[in-house]
C-alpha cells in the first residue's frame, strides 16, 4: 500500500452521503467513469481522509470521532468547482467505536480522475456496535477478486459451536470473539451464550467456504478499511510521542507503531540511558536466525532488596506479528518504567522488588514482513517455510499454539496451512523454545507439579511467585487460564477472577477464562503453558478493536487504558494468588506541615471496589473487612528480613474501628528530625489475612524553621502520632533528653560526661541525638543498655 500522489483528484464525501448520489452529478456509485464524463470533482477541505493504493485501486477512509455522551455535530467542507459547500451530519455511536466510512476508487488512466464506490460494491448498514457492516445472506455473490481481503462477522449460539464450525475451515479467525448480551441485559458468564466472531476472508474460496458453513454473515466495512489505512498525512501524535517519527523507525503510513528496528533501537537507547536499570540479552534465535532480544529491567542491587530475591515478571508481545498495538504498548511501558525510576515512587518501589523480562518482538521474522504495511501480507504465524505448507502467504506455525502444555488439543489445527497450525511437535519452533527456556529459568521450580498434564485443575500453592503477562490484539478482554478446555472449576480460580476483575476495572475490558465467560478453545498457548506447566499466575491482554488498529483510535482509546492497567498489573508479581485477593489502596494523600515537622497520610482502602464490574456478580472473596493498614517510611513490606524486617506504622480508621470492606484511614508521622526526599508506602490487609498491592508516594520534607542551612533539625525520628484515634496521644512522642541533646552542636559537647551517656553523636549527619533516638529495630535498640523497645501500640525505642 502506498499513498496517492498529490495532485490526483479524488471524490471525498461525508458519511451522510454514502447512500446518496446528490453530490455525484451523473455518476453511478457502482462503476467508474473518466474525468471527461465525470464532471467537476469534490476535493476535501476540512475532512481528515486516508488514501491508499491496493490492487490498482485508489481508496479513501474518513474517520470521525465518537462521543458517548452526546450526538456530535461533524462538519465537512468540500470544494466543488471553486464553491465551498458545507454539509453536516449528526450521529450517535456506542463507546469506543469509530464511525468510519470506507470508499474504494478505481484509478483512471493518467490519473485524470477517479470515482467512488463501496470497497465491496455492496450496500452497507450500521452494526450494533457502531461498525459499518453489510448484511449478506448465505449464497450471496462474493466481492470482486480485487476487493479481498475483507473482514466479515457472524454469530454463533455458543463458543463451543463456533469452535466446532470454524475449526475445520482454514479461515483466518480474528481475535477470540465478543460475548453478546443475554436476554436479561447482562453478558453470559459461561460458555453457553451467543458469541460474535470476526473472520478475514482472503479470497472467493474463503468466502464460499464460510458461505457453506453458516447461515449468514456480514461484511465489516470499518474493519476492512483498517487493513488498507494510510495515516501518514493525518496522524497527529500526542505531545509526549512526537519524538517517534524522528527518533525511531515506524511503520509506513502508521507512524504510531515502531518497526522491529525501531523497537530494537529504543531498547538500545534505554540501556544506554539507564545502564543501572536495564540490560539487553539474546534469549535465542528466530527461524530465520535473528536474535530474539529480551530487555531486563530492575532497580540497582541493595541490601534491603537483593536482586536474587526479587519477583520475576515475564512479559511478551508480538507473538502474532500482525498485531501492531501490543508491541507499541509494551515498548512505551518500559520507556516509562525506566524514565520514572526515582521520580515516581510506585515505579521505583516496583522495580526495586521486581525483575521484568520483556520480550517486545517475540516473532521478529514475521513482524518485519508486517512492518511493510501491505494488506495482502500480514502474517500471524512465524516464517517457518518447512512446516509443511507450500503457500508463502499461509506457511509457518502459530507460536501461540506451539507451547508445551496440552499441545495439539482442540483449539489448534494440525493442518500446516491453517492459521492456527500448532507445529509438528510441542515447542518445535525456535521462538517458542526461547520463551520457554527463559521462563523455566526465572520462575521457581518448587512451585511446579511433578506431572502437570495429569493434574491440570488442582490449585497451585498460593505462595507461588512471579507473574506472566502476554499482550495480543484484539477484543477488549482480560483472559486467564485455561484456553484448552472450558470447565467450571480451575485451580486458583478465585485469584484469577479477582485479578482479572481488578485489571478490567481500569481498562474497562471483559474478564474471561475457563468456566467464566469462556470465549473459545486455544490449546498450546502461552497462558496454559505458564500456568499449567510452571504454576505461574498468567494473564493475557486482548487490546483494542482490531489487530490493524488505526493510530487515531490507538492513541485515543487503546493505549492509555491498557498502559494504566499494566502499571497496576506489575504490582501483582509478589505471590499473585494471594496479593490479588487482598485490599487495594484506592486513594493516597501525603501532606507536609509548613515547618516539615509533621507528615499526615490519609488514604482509602478497599477489598471490594476494584472487583466490581458492570453486569458482573460480586466476588465472595472481595467482601472481607479491612483488618489493618500499614505505613512504611523509607522501607517496603517486601524488603529482605536481615537484620530485622521493616517496622511498619499502623494507620487508624477514620470512624474508630475496622469493620467494613472499605475504610478511610489516616496517620500523622513526626518528621521533625527528617528533611529531604522520602518514600512512604501503604499496604492493607483483610480479615482473611490477604495483603494487597503496595502503593507508594514520595514526600519532600523542608528543613525546619530556625535550623541552619545544611544542618538537619533534630528530635525523635519516625515516631508516629495518631490523628484523632482513641487512646493515643496526638502529640509527637519525644523524650526530655532528646531536647537536651539537640542543644549540643559539636561532638565534644555532645559526649561530655555530665550528660550521663544520654546523648550520642551521629557522625554521618553531624548532629547530637538522644542515645535511643533513631534505633528503628528491636535489635539495634537493645544494643544500648539505657534503651527499651516497645512494639505496641507503636514501635518505639525509648529511654528506660
Amino acid at each position: 500500500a502506498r499513498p496517492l500522489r498529490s495532485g490526483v483528484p479524488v471524490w471525498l464525501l461525508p458519511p451522510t452521503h454514502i447512500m446518496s448520489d446528490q453530490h455525484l452529478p451523473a455518476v453511478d456509485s457502482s462503476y467508474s467513469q473518466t474525468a471527461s464524463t465525470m464532471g467537476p470533482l469534490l476535493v476535501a477541505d476540512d475532512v481528515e481522509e486516508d488514501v491508499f493504493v491496493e490492487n490498482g485501486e485508489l481508496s479513501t477512509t474518513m474517520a470521525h470521532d465518537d462521543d458517548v455522551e452526546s450526538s456530535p455535530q461533524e462538519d465537512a467542507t468540500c470544494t466543488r468547482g471553486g464553491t465551498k459547500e458545507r454539509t453536516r451530519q449528526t450521529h450517535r455511536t456506542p463507546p469506543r467505536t469509530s464511525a468510519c466510512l470506507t470508499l474504494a476508487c478505481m484509478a483512471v488512466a493518467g490519473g485524470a480522475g477517479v470515482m467512488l464506490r463501496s470497497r465491496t460494491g455492496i450496500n452497507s448498514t450500521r452494526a450494533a456496535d457502531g461498525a459499518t457492516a453489510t448484511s449478506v445472506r448465505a449464497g450471496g455473490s462474493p466481492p470482486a477478486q480485487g476487493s479481498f481481503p475483507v473482514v466479515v462477522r457472524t454469530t454463533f449460539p455458543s463458543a463451543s459451536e463456533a469452535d466446532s464450525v470454524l475449526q475445520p475451515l482454514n479461515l483466518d479467525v480474528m481475535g477470540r470473539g465478543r460475548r453478546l448480551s443475554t436476554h436479561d441485559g447482562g453478558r453470559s458468564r459461561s460458555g453457553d451464550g451467543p458469541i460474535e466472531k470476526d473472520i478475514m476472508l482472503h479470497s472467493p474460496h474463503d468466502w464460499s467456504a464460510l458461505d457453506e458453513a453458516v447461515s449468514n454473515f456480514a461484511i465489516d466495512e470499518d474493519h476492512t478499511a483498517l487493513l488498507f489505512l494510510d495515516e501518514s498525512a493525518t496522524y497527529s501524535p500526542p505531545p509526549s510521542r512526537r519524538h517517534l517519527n524522528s527518533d525511531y523507525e515506524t511503520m509506513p503510513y502508521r507512524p504510531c507503531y515502531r518497526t522491529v528496528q525501531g523497537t530494537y533501537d529504543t531498547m538500545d537507547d534505554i540501556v544506554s540511558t539507564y545502564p543501572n536499570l536495564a540490560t539487553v540479552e539474546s534469549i535465542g534465535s528466530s527461524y530465520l536466525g535473528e536474535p530474539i532480544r529480551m530487555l531486563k529491567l530492575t532497580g540497582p542491587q541493595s541490601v534491603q532488596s537483593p536482586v536474587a530475591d526479587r519477583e520475576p515478571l515475564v512479559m511478551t508481545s508480538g507473538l502474532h506479528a500482525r498485531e501492531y498495538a501490543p508491541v507499541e504498548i509494551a515498548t512505551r511501558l518500559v520507556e516509562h518504567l525506566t524514565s520514572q525510576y526515582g521520580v515516581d515512587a510506585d515505579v521505583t518501589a516496583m522495580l526495586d522488588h521486581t525483575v521484568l523480562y520483556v520480550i517486545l518482538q517475540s516473532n521478529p521474522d514475521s513482524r518485519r514482513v508486517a512492518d511493510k504495511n501491505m494488506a495482502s501480507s500480514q502474517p500471524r504465524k512465524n516464517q517457518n517455510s518447512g512446516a509443511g505448507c507450500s503457500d508463502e502467504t499461509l506457511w509457518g506455525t502459530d507460536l501461540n499454539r506451539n507451547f508445551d502444555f496440552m499441545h495439539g488439543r482442540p483449539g489448534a489445527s494440525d493442518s500446516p496451512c491453517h492459521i492456527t497450525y500448532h507445529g509438528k511437535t510441542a515447542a518445535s519452533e525456535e521462538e517458542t523454545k526461547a520463551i520457554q527456556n527463559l521462563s523455566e529459568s526465572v520462575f521457581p521450580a518448587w512451585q511446579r507439579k511433578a506431572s502437570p498434564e495429569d493434574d491440570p485443575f488442582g490449585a497451585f500453592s498460593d505462595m507461588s511467585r512471579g507473574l506472566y503477562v502476554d499482550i495480543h490484539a484484539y477484543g477488549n478482554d482480560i483472559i486467564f487460564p485455561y484456553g484448552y478446555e472450558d470447565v467450571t472449576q480451575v485451580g486458583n480460580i478465585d485469584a484469577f477472577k479477582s485479578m482479572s476483575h481488578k485489571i478490567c476495572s481500569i481498562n474497562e475490558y471483559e474478564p474471561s477464562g475457563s468456566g467464566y465467560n469462556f470465549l473459545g478453545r486455544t490449546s498450546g498457548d502461552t497462558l496454559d503453558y505458564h500456568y499449567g506447566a510452571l504454576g505461574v499466575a498468567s494473564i493475557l491482554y486482548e487490546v483494542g478493536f482490531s489487530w490493524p488498529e488505526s493510530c487515531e483510535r490507538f492513541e485515543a482509546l487503546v493505549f492509555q487504558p491498557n498502559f494504566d492497567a499494566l502499571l497496576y498489573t506489575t504490582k501483582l508479581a509478589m505471590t499473585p494468588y494471594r496479593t490479588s485477593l487482598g485490599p487495594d489502596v484506592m486513594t493516597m494523600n501525603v501532606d507536609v506541615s509548613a515547618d516539615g515537622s509533621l507528615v499526615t497520610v490519609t488514604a482509602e482502602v478497599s477489598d471490594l471496589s476494584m472487583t466490581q464490574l458492570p453486569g458482573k456478580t460480586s466476588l465472595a472473596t472481595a467482601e472481607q473487612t479491612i483488618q489493618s493498614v500499614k505505613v512504611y517510611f523509607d522501607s517496603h513490606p517486601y524488603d529482605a528480613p536481615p537484620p530485622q524486617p521493616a517496622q511498619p506504622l499502623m494507620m487508624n480508621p477514620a470512624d474508630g474501628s475496622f469493620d467494613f470492606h472499605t475504610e478511610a484511614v489516616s496517620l500523622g508521622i513526626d518528621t521533625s528530625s527528617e528533611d529531604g526526599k522520602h518514600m512512604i508506602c501503604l499496604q492493607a490487609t483483610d480479615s482473611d489475612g490477604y495483603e494487597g498491592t503496595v502503593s507508594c508516594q514520595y514526600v519532600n520534607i523542608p528543613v525546619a524553621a530556625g535550623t541552619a542551612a545544611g544542618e538537619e533539625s533534630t528530635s525523635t525520628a519516625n515516631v508516629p502520632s495518631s490523628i484523632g484515634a482513641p487512646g493515643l496521644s496526638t502529640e509527637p512522642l519525644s523524650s526530655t533528653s532528646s531536647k537536651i541533646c539537640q542543644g549540643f552542636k559539636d561532638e565534644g559537647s555532645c559526649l561530655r560526661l555530665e550528660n550521663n551517656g544520654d546523648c550520642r553523636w551521629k557522625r554521618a549527619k553531624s548532629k547530637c541525638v538522644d542515645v535511643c533516638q533513631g534505633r528503628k529495630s528491636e535489635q539495634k535498640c537493645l544494643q544500648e543498655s539505657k534503651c527499651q523497645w516497645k512494639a505496641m501500640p507503636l514501635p518505639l525505642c525509648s529511654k528506660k
Side-chain angles (χ1 to χ4, degrees):
R2 56 188 182 275
L4 181 67
R5 293 180 180 273
S6 61
V8 178
V10 180
W11 285 83
L12 297 175
L13 297 182
T16 46
H17 297 109
I18 181 61
M19 306 302 292
S20 167
D21 293 335
Q22 60 179 296
H23 286 285
L24 288 173
V27 177
D28 188 307
S29 63
S30 64
Y31 63 93
S32 63
Q33 293 185 337
T34 63
S36 60
T37 61
M38 196 172 200
L41 296 176
L42 286 171
V43 181
D45 187 305
D46 293 332
V47 181
E48 289 190 356
E49 76 279 3
D50 300 300
V51 184
F52 56 85
V53 177
E54 180 73 17
N55 296 326
E57 290 190 349
L58 305 177
S59 299
T60 69
T61 298
M62 297 182 190
H64 296 267
D65 294 334
D66 299 324
D67 188 331
V68 302
E69 297 180 355
S70 64
S71 298
Q73 301 290 322
E74 296 185 296
D75 294 346
T77 302
C78 299
T79 301
R80 179 185 177 192
T83 304
K84 286 192 174 183
E85 299 180 6
R86 171 77 57 181
T87 62
R88 171 162 291 188
Q89 68 154 341
T90 301
H91 67 84
R92 180 185 296 274
T93 54
R96 298 191 177 184
T97 61
S98 179
C100 296
L101 169 67
T102 303
L103 303 173
C105 309
M106 182 67 70
V108 179
V114 296
M115 50 69 63
L116 283 171
R117 66 179 178 86
S118 165
R119 161 162 279 280
T120 59
I122 302 174
N123 289 336
S124 62
T125 57
R126 178 68 57 190
D129 67 352
T132 303
T134 303
S135 180
V136 178
R137 292 186 179 277
S141 299
Q145 175 69 47
S147 295
F148 287 95
V150 295
V151 179
V152 302
R153 58 176 56 176
T154 187
T155 303
F156 296 90
S158 66
S160 59
E161 182 165 336
D163 288 343
S164 65
V165 172
L166 295 176
Q167 190 61 43
L169 305 177
N170 188 18
L171 296 180
D172 192 347
V173 181
M174 305 171 68
R176 302 198 182 206
R178 290 174 294 277
R179 182 72 63 191
L180 301 181
S181 298
T182 56
H183 67 279
D184 60 358
R187 287 183 179 270
S188 173
R189 295 178 61 249
S190 64
D192 59 358
I195 191 168
E196 189 175 63
K197 296 280 188 176
D198 292 339
I199 305 166
M200 185 162 67
L201 304 179
H202 296 265
S203 66
H205 177 271
D206 288 352
W207 180 284
S208 298
L210 184 63
D211 188 34
E212 293 177 4
V214 301
S215 59
N216 68 77
F217 53 91
I219 295 176
D220 186 337
E221 293 279 5
D222 286 356
H223 211 150
T224 300
L226 293 175
L227 301 175
F228 303 88
L229 195 60
D230 166 20
E231 296 183 286
S232 56
T234 60
Y235 171 64
S236 179
S240 61
R241 308 311 308 172
R242 285 177 184 162
H243 69 280
L244 272 180
N245 292 346
S246 58
D247 291 356
Y248 301 111
E249 182 181 85
T250 58
M251 291 178 62
Y253 318 130
R254 294 183 191 267
C256 63
Y257 300 120
R258 274 167 274 205
T259 62
V260 171
Q261 191 58 52
T263 305
Y264 287 170
D265 289 344
T266 301
M267 294 168 67
D268 291 339
D269 283 351
I270 288 174
V271 173
S272 176
T273 306
Y274 308 102
N276 60 325
L277 302 176
T279 57
V280 171
E281 303 172 18
S282 173
I283 61 169
S285 298
S286 67
Y287 174 77
L288 295 179
E290 179 164 347
I292 298 175
R293 306 183 80 199
M294 181 267 295
L295 185 66
K296 180 180 178 180
L297 302 180
T298 194
Q301 174 81 5
S302 69
V303 174
Q304 294 83 4
S305 180
V307 172
D309 293 342
R310 297 177 185 178
E311 304 309 310
L313 192 160
V314 174
M315 181 179 295
T316 54
S317 62
L319 265 89
H320 291 152
R322 67 188 184 184
E323 298 170 5
Y324 308 148
V327 175
E328 186 62 31
I329 291 172
T331 303
R332 294 188 190 186
L333 177 69
V334 297
E335 285 180 312
H336 176 83
L337 295 179
T338 49
S339 66
Q340 292 303 299
Y341 183 85
V343 178
D344 183 306
D346 251 357
V347 169
T348 306
M350 186 277 293
L351 284 177
D352 280 343
H353 298 88
T354 310
V355 182
L356 280 81
Y357 304 87
V358 186
I359 309 169
L360 297 170
Q361 297 284 2
S362 302
N363 187 2
D365 294 345
S366 289
R367 181 55 187 255
R368 288 193 184 277
V369 177
D371 279 344
K372 298 175 183 177
N373 194 25
M374 298 292 292
S376 58
S377 183
Q378 287 292 317
R380 165 188 167 107
K381 302 189 287 183
N382 73 351
Q383 289 294 294
N384 186 350
S385 58
C389 179
S390 59
D391 186 337
E392 182 179 356
T393 64
L394 299 174
W395 68 29
T397 297
D398 184 345
L399 298 179
N400 205 32
R401 301 295 187 273
N402 188 238
F403 281 77
D404 193 7
F405 181 81
M406 300 299 180
H407 178 264
R409 300 293 182 95
S413 175
D414 58 4
S415 173
C417 290
H418 198 281
I419 195 70
T420 61
Y421 175 54
H422 53 53
K424 294 180 178 179
T425 60
S428 60
E429 307 308 299
E430 295 301 318
E431 298 89 344
T432 308
K433 291 175 185 176
I435 296 172
Q436 287 194 177
N437 291 341
L438 170 68
S439 294
E440 289 175 8
S441 68
V442 302
F443 291 115
W446 65 262
Q447 63 196 39
R448 304 169 196 171
K449 297 174 182 176
S451 300
E453 292 196 3
D454 295 334
D455 179 27
F457 302 116
F460 289 91
S461 167
D462 67 359
M463 296 304 294
S464 296
R465 298 172 55 187
L467 187 68
Y468 173 73
V469 179
D470 192 14
I471 312 176
H472 285 258
Y474 60 102
N476 291 3
D477 299 302
I478 296 298
I479 301 174
F480 58 83
Y482 282 119
Y484 83 94
E485 189 168 352
D486 183 20
V487 296
T488 56
Q489 194 59 248
V490 174
N492 310 103
I493 186 67
D494 288 338
F496 279 128
K497 285 182 180 180
S498 183
M499 198 181 306
S500 61
H501 272 234
K502 290 182 177 185
I503 295 170
C504 289
S505 74
I506 300 172
N507 61 9
E508 299 182 8
Y509 280 12
E510 286 284 327
S512 173
S514 185
Y516 193 70
N517 194 30
F518 191 65
L519 293 173
R521 290 185 169 186
T522 56
S523 62
D525 66 5
T526 57
L527 281 190
D528 286 9
Y529 167 76
H530 281 88
Y531 176 64
L534 304 184
V536 179
S538 303
I539 287 291
L540 184 143
Y541 280 64
E542 288 280 8
V543 302
F545 310 90
S546 173
W547 52 256
E549 197 75 71
S550 70
C551 285
E552 178 186 25
R553 196 152 55 176
F554 172 77
E555 299 289 8
L557 302 174
V558 179
F559 168 66
Q560 195 63 51
N562 288 290
F563 173 81
D564 294 340
L566 283 166
L567 284 177
Y568 172 81
T569 304
T570 62
K571 294 184 176 185
L572 295 169
M574 170 64 81
T575 58
Y577 299 132
R578 293 187 59 84
T579 304
S580 60
L581 294 173
D584 291 286
V585 179
M586 306 306 298
T587 62
M588 177 181 176
N589 296 290
V590 180
D591 296 311
V592 185
S593 62
D595 63 358
S597 63
L598 181 69
V599 167
T600 303
V601 183
T602 58
E604 180 182 286
V605 299
S606 180
D607 204 45
L608 179 67
S609 294
M610 290 187 69
T611 67
Q612 291 187 306
L613 299 177
K616 294 291 183 290
T617 303
S618 296
L619 303 181
T621 57
E623 299 177 353
Q624 284 65 48
T625 59
I626 303 300
Q627 184 180 67
S628 67
V629 184
K630 299 174 183 176
V631 179
Y632 294 81
F633 190 91
D634 284 339
S635 61
H636 192 279
Y638 301 163
D639 282 348
Q644 284 291 324
Q647 296 295 328
L649 312 175
M650 309 302 292
M651 298 192 76
N652 306 297
D655 60 2
S657 62
F658 287 120
D659 55 8
F660 199 52
H661 54 62
T662 302
E663 296 279 358
V665 292
S666 61
L667 183 71
I669 304 174
D670 180 353
T671 54
S672 56
S673 65
E674 302 288 346
D675 59 45
K677 185 178 181 179
H678 298 269
M679 182 185 289
I680 294 178
C681 297
L682 306 185
Q683 186 182 43
T685 306
D686 68 16
S687 56
D688 283 346
Y690 291 115
E691 297 172 325
T693 55
V694 181
S695 292
C696 302
Q697 283 190 22
Y698 280 124
V699 58
N700 288 298
I701 302 173
V703 176
T707 304
E711 180 182 338
E712 296 190 35
S713 58
T714 55
S715 183
T716 302
N718 297 338
V719 180
S721 62
S722 68
I723 304 298
L728 294 175
S729 169
T730 58
E731 294 295 323
L733 303 175
S734 58
S735 65
T736 303
S737 63
S738 70
K739 295 179 181 178
I740 295 173
C741 296
Q742 293 174 26
F744 301 112
K745 303 302 181 183
D746 61 87
E747 184 174 6
S749 300
C750 179
L751 301 178
R752 285 186 306 181
L753 291 178
E754 55 263 37
N755 292 335
N756 296 319
D758 288 336
C759 303
R760 64 188 179 95
W761 182 255
K762 295 193 70 171
R763 294 181 183 273
K765 296 188 176 182
S766 298
K767 66 180 181 181
C768 190
V769 299
D770 179 273
V771 69
C772 301
Q773 179 184 337
R775 299 178 185 268
K776 299 179 182 180
S777 68
E778 183 176 8
Q779 182 183 37
K780 290 184 177 180
C781 181
L782 298 183
Q783 288 175 352
E784 172 55 55
S785 60
K786 291 178 175 287
C787 302
Q788 62 181 354
W789 179 257
K790 294 181 180 180
M792 297 295 290
L794 299 168
L796 175 65
C797 185
S798 61
K799 292 287 293 298
K800 291 181 179 179

